[in-house]
Amino acid sequence: MADDKEREGPDLVVAEFHKKIKDAFEVFDHEANNTVDVREIGTIIRSLGCCPSEGELHDLIVEVEEEEPTGYIRFEKFLPVMTKVLLEKRYRPIPEDILLRAFEVLDPSKRGFLTKEELIKYMTEEGEPFSQEEMEEMLSAAIDPESNSIRYKDYIAMMVVDDG
Amino acid sequence: MSTHDLEDMGCGTSSSTKDRKSEKALKAALVIQNWYRGYSARLKARQRYALTIFQSIEYADEQGQLQLSNFFSFMLENYTQIHKKDPELVARLFGSTLQDYKDRQDYVSHIDVPDSYHGPRLQFPLTFTDIDLLVEAFKQQQILHAHYVLEVLFETKKVLKQMPNFTHVKTSPSKELTICGDLHGKLDDLFLIFYKNGLPSGSNTYIFNGDFVDRGKHSIEILMILFVSFLVYPNDLHLNRGNHEDFMMNLRYGFTKEILHKYKIHGKKILQILEDVYTWLPIGTIIDNEILVIHGGISESTDLNLLHHIERNKMKSVLMSPIPLDEDRDNDLKKNKINTTIIPREVKTNGSLSEQLTKHEWEQVIDILWSDPRGKRGCYPNTSRGGGCYFGPDITSKVLNKYQLKMLIRSHECKPEGYEICHDGKVVTVFSASNYYEEGSNRGAYIKLCSGMNLRFFQYQVTKATCLRPLYQRVNTIESSAIRILKERMISRKTDLIRAFQLQDRSKSGKLPMGQWAFSMENILGLNLPWRSLSPHLVTTDKNGNINYMSSFEDIHIQKPVKEAQSTLIETLYRYRSDLQIIFNVIDSDHSGLISMEEFRAMWKLFNSHYSIHIDDFQIDDLAERMDLNKDGSIDFNEFLKAFYVVHKLDNVNKSDSKLA
């Protein structure tokens, strides 16, 4: 089997990527007609292990949309674009230590936590702001109910274990 | 996407520090947002995968259920070999009921409601106070006395009989109509709907679109509330039959068990009457001559005119397809090449064959109760469920146009948001059982409509916690639940899976590349799932990315009821335990819970040959005797089947709580 892999190398890798992409796409293809709602493309791409920013995601969508956008993305257009993304290892996920440092930047006095208000301010006013729904979702898991603050080290540790 | 206007920040000499600081903050925020969105998306994908697992297994199970129909036909055709003198068994399979219900008044009046009974007491003729009474009583977890249950069932049948196959309803600007989908015994969802939308009444019309029972724990309570409401407001509460309003489905999916548990003395009688009541439920509702409301869907041959006129009460069960008349029989025989014996003439009950629908009529009803809409054009057999078909947008247009209808509202499929619109707005699915597969799996919904206005959708989700748990916890719950039942499926096919793996593993290394492992899994289990994404939950992988295929079976096994029993035997019995339960129940016409050793052997022989299982008869006999079942020549089959369950080694509790059991 190892021999096979060497001989067929890149083809096998691409074939496996194709299957992986197909699996992820199908799960969101509710009507089983090889299309998904454009609003779910971000979820699909991220579920494949990539972490594009909102801006980068927007560009990807433009690549896979129809000439005249229909609100749906077809698998035939999605597959080659996504395969390339995986092959080029684009949009690598954020490593845990970088994530921790990001929180520490927002907590310059090194208290070890952010207040709820601070997190809301940063997440909804800076960068690529969260929607209200995203903010509520993040808070529900991140908030330590006793202190009403976000103990970011614990939070990261918890999320990382879960994310597999 | 907004950009932070850095020029607005700071002033004077410290502006550059401030700029740097805010730039750092911006970057940090971006990192966190990016990470979070990736994480959140992966959670949502996992949630989807879990739902896909639940749904695939649910449909595969339904398919197994429908395949029983073939077995019953097979059984009938070899009838004389089973038992020569069992007219009840034949009647059961032919679909006619022997009992005459003229004895109703006698029966019900003989059931006393003791003074010690503190549950709800209904007053006939029923009024709206009885609806209130029931709702309040059920909220207090009370159980309605069998006397009233039976009284309600008899009355309901009487009134339903007068209803046509399709109820035609009109809305008006001042009178809205509410449509609810599957409830499946989830009483909390019904309470939530009533809380948000009001109880049924003359000015608050409801349509309940089938599948009131099975799976949830309060099917009888839901039925009672719905039937009582129907009896009080027969023109404003409409009930459509679903595929679970079928006594054969109830045997497998839990309602029968619920009744026999809650009504230990009169349960059997209740079940008998219920069988009949189901058959009188209307097939559908037509609103304003524009909207068709039915449980499942349509097929390209759906003939509404025919369906308006058939004798719907002859549709006993999806598992009892019409026995062909002699000429048809010959054709069927030629088609199926079945090696059969002739059914002896004396076995037919009076006019039994005229008590059936024709095959065509029967198929029409199956299509209505079992079909699902899909994006692909055309009409195809519904291979997931094994009954009805998949119909595409072109079929919808064709059928709707043929009858000058504008829309189809149906249920039958669980949707994450409780409802879904497809086929260009012409088909709407509404599903009213929230948390159907597991807590957090989906929302429920209902529809309100009135003439001239768009449909309005209302969603909800029953939750035990006062505030919703964070998403990752909910996803963890449904994911582990889904993986658990998937693993149980795997263990029930362990032998076949290992054989398939080993066939591909020529070097006998115990490893396979991902592609080959996924292929075998899909092939043997017959489930179209994203195996690559699921693999981390099911197997271990080595550093080269190859699958250690035996690792799936390390932390799970089927409990051996007897040490000496062979693994393959145990596995087979575990795999078919639901089917066997139904078959036993059918043979056990008097619902005693016992069948004779002779019946057991004969039935097992047939099962063996029909399903091509290679288990020797003596192995079964041996097992039955070793399990020390009643030594009086009869087998308590519920005990027999209960003994097969799966042990998850990582559990603290021994018993598996498989919902499909």
Side-chain angles (χ1 to χ4, degrees), chain A residues 1 5 16 19 23 27 30-31 43 46-47 51 54 102 123 126-129 134 137-138 158-159 162-163, chain B residues 1-2 26 28 33-34 36-37 39-42 45-46 48-49 375 472 476 513-515 530 532 544:
Chain A
M1 278 174 316
K5 229 178 178 164
E16 275 302 301
K19 294 250 171 66
D23 276 353
V27 155
H30 307 306
E31 293 194 40
T43 310
R46 286 167 173 141
S47 77
C51 282
E54 290 289 279
M123 293 295 103
E126 302 274 353
E128 293 174 328
E134 285 174 312
E137 216 180 79
M138 182 180 187
M158 197 166 57
M159 297 294 108
D162 193 52
D163 204 9
Chain B
M1 205 169 70
S2 76
L26 168 71
Q33 286 157 346
N34 182 307
Y36 184 77
R37 286 182 169 122
Y39 169 75
S40 171
R42 281 187 291 280
R46 280 165 61 195
R48 280 287 165 162
Y49 288 151
Y472 79 94
N476 277 340
M514 175 70 83
R532 286 160 183 76
N544 296 324

Side-chain angles (χ1 to χ4, degrees), chain A residues 1 5 12 15-16 19-20 23-28 30-33 40 42-44 46-56 92-94 98-99 101-103 105-106 114 119 122-131 133-135 137-141 155-156 158-160 162-164, chain B residues 1-4 21-22 24-46 48-49 52 373-376 393 415-416 420-424 468-472 474 476 504-505 507 509 511-516 528-533 544-546:
Chain A
M1 278 174 316
K5 229 178 178 164
L12 198 63
E16 275 302 301
K19 294 250 171 66
K20 217 173 154 193
D23 276 353
F25 193 89
E26 271 180 3
V27 155
F28 289 88
H30 307 306
E31 293 194 40
N33 59 354
E40 311 215 78
T43 310
I44 297 174
R46 286 167 173 141
S47 77
L48 288 164
C50 304
C51 282
S53 68
E54 290 289 279
E56 288 163 335
R92 294 275 81 195
I94 313 277
I98 306 277
L99 184 58
R101 253 190 276 158
F103 275 103
V105 163
L106 301 181
L114 289 175
L119 185 67
Y122 283 121
M123 293 295 103
T124 60
E125 291 178 20
E126 302 274 353
E128 293 174 328
F130 274 173
S131 66
E133 207 188 317
E134 285 174 312
M135 193 68 248
E137 216 180 79
M138 182 180 187
L139 281 174
S140 73
Y155 174 56
I156 294 175
M158 197 166 57
M159 297 294 108
V160 160
D162 193 52
D163 204 9
Chain B
M1 205 169 70
S2 76
T3 44
H4 189 83
K21 261 193 178 164
S22 62
K24 274 185 105 182
L26 168 71
K27 285 203 173 120
L30 277 170
V31 163
I32 298 173
Q33 286 157 346
N34 182 307
W35 164 80
Y36 184 77
R37 286 182 169 122
Y39 169 75
S40 171
R42 281 187 291 280
L43 270 185
K44 297 205 169 93
R46 280 165 61 195
R48 280 287 165 162
Y49 288 151
T52 307
R374 285 292 180 269
K376 197 166 156 196
K415 297 292 177 191
E420 193 173 273
I421 306 176
C422 65
H423 291 192
D424 234 352
L468 214 50
R469 291 188 298 159
L471 183 62
Y472 79 94
R474 285 181 276 143
N476 277 340
Q504 298 181 85
D505 178 17
S507 57
S509 59
K511 296 176 198 275
L512 279 178
M514 175 70 83
Q516 288 180 319
N528 180 12
L529 292 174
W531 295 108
R532 286 160 183 76
S533 310
N544 296 324
N546 290 320

Side-chain angles (χ1 to χ4, degrees), chain A residues 68-90:
Chain A
E68 288 194 28
T70 59
Y72 289 96
I73 306 295
R74 288 186 300 123
F75 183 64
E76 298 81 49
K77 287 204 98 174
F78 183 70
L79 183 65
V81 173
M82 195 64 218
T83 309
K84 206 154 172 264
V85 166
L86 289 181
L87 279 170
E88 292 172 5
K89 299 193 171 52
R90 271 193 265 163

Side-chain angles (χ1 to χ4, degrees), chain B residues 59-336:
Chain B
Y59 296 170
D61 211 50
E62 283 179 356
Q63 207 191 109
Q65 173 81 349
L66 293 183
Q67 277 167 17
L68 267 186
S69 169
N70 294 333
F71 175 71
F72 286 137
S73 311
F74 178 77
M75 209 161 90
L76 257 187
E77 274 152 3
N78 296 276
Y79 170 75
T80 46
Q81 293 170 35
I82 309 171
H83 207 289
K84 292 193 169 52
K85 293 186 178 81
D86 196 348
E88 277 194 42
L89 171 60
V90 179
R92 223 160 167 50
L93 294 170
F94 268 97
S96 67
T97 36
L98 291 175
Q99 287 243 7
D100 194 358
Y101 294 122
K102 287 199 188 106
D103 63 341
R104 165 220 168 131
Q105 278 311 127
D106 303 331
Y107 192 85
V108 176
S109 59
H110 279 148
I111 304 178
D112 280 329
V113 184
D115 290 333
S116 57
Y117 169 72
H118 289 303
R121 286 168 188 265
L122 301 175
Q123 301 247 36
F124 288 80
L126 298 169
T127 63
F128 67 87
T129 30
D130 295 291
I131 304 178
D132 258 321
L133 193 65
L134 273 189
V135 170
E136 289 314 307
F138 291 153
K139 281 190 177 153
Q140 314 284 336
Q141 318 268 28
Q142 290 171 359
I143 295 188
L144 183 65
H145 196 278
H147 172 100
Y148 297 115
V149 174
L150 287 165
E151 191 89 70
V152 168
L153 289 177
F154 278 121
E155 273 302 312
T156 303
K157 176 182 160 179
K158 207 167 90 178
V159 181
L160 280 178
K161 260 176 130 161
Q162 295 160 28
M163 298 284 165
N165 292 348
F166 286 86
T167 316
H168 287 255
V169 179
K170 291 229 170 301
T171 61
S172 68
S174 54
K175 196 171 179 188
E176 267 188 312
L177 178 64
T178 305
I179 305 175
C180 299
D182 297 27
L183 284 168
H184 280 301
K186 314 285 237 78
L187 191 55
D188 285 342
D189 286 273
L190 187 58
F191 286 157
L192 192 50
I193 296 172
F194 285 160
Y195 175 74
K196 285 169 74 110
N197 198 51
L199 287 175
S201 75
S203 53
N204 196 11
T205 307
Y206 275 92
I207 299 179
F208 286 93
N209 202 16
D211 279 11
F212 323 122
V213 300
D214 274 336
R215 297 183 155 262
K217 297 198 167 70
H218 297 101
S219 300
I220 188 64
E221 283 78 24
I222 290 200
L223 264 195
M224 285 296 109
I225 293 178
L226 292 181
F227 285 165
V228 165
S229 303
F230 168 70
L231 289 172
V232 179
Y233 301 109
N235 297 320
D236 286 296
L237 190 111
H238 307 286
L239 300 169
N240 293 338
R241 191 174 185 184
N243 63 312
H244 278 261
E245 274 71 56
D246 178 327
F247 74 100
M248 287 284 193
M249 295 295 277
N250 296 163
L251 274 170
R252 193 183 193 102
Y253 290 103
F255 188 28
T256 309
K257 219 191 249 178
E258 182 190 324
I259 299 245
L260 293 175
H261 176 74
K262 286 178 178 165
Y263 297 99
K264 293 187 166 55
I265 306 172
H266 301 290
K268 292 169 202 165
K269 190 70 182 179
I270 293 176
L271 288 171
Q272 266 185 326
I273 314 293
L274 198 49
E275 258 182 59
D276 221 23
V277 174
Y278 284 156
T279 65
W280 284 107
L281 286 166
I283 296 172
T285 319
I286 298 180
I287 306 172
D288 294 334
N289 279 325
E290 280 186 348
I291 303 180
L292 177 63
V293 186
I294 46 177
H295 177 74
I298 51 178
S299 77
E300 61 190 343
S301 57
T302 291
D303 183 347
L304 281 184
N305 291 323
L306 176 79
L307 285 166
H308 266 76
H309 295 114
I310 61 169
E311 294 179 72
R312 70 178 188 271
N313 65 306
K314 289 182 179 175
M315 178 72 186
K316 299 289 172 194
S317 163
V318 69
L319 286 190
M320 291 176 169
S321 53
I323 312 293
L325 299 170
D326 286 340
E327 326 85 68
D328 291 346
R329 243 178 81 75
D330 290 337
N331 289 333
D332 274 3
L333 284 179
K334 286 186 197 129
K335 263 193 287 182
N336 300 330

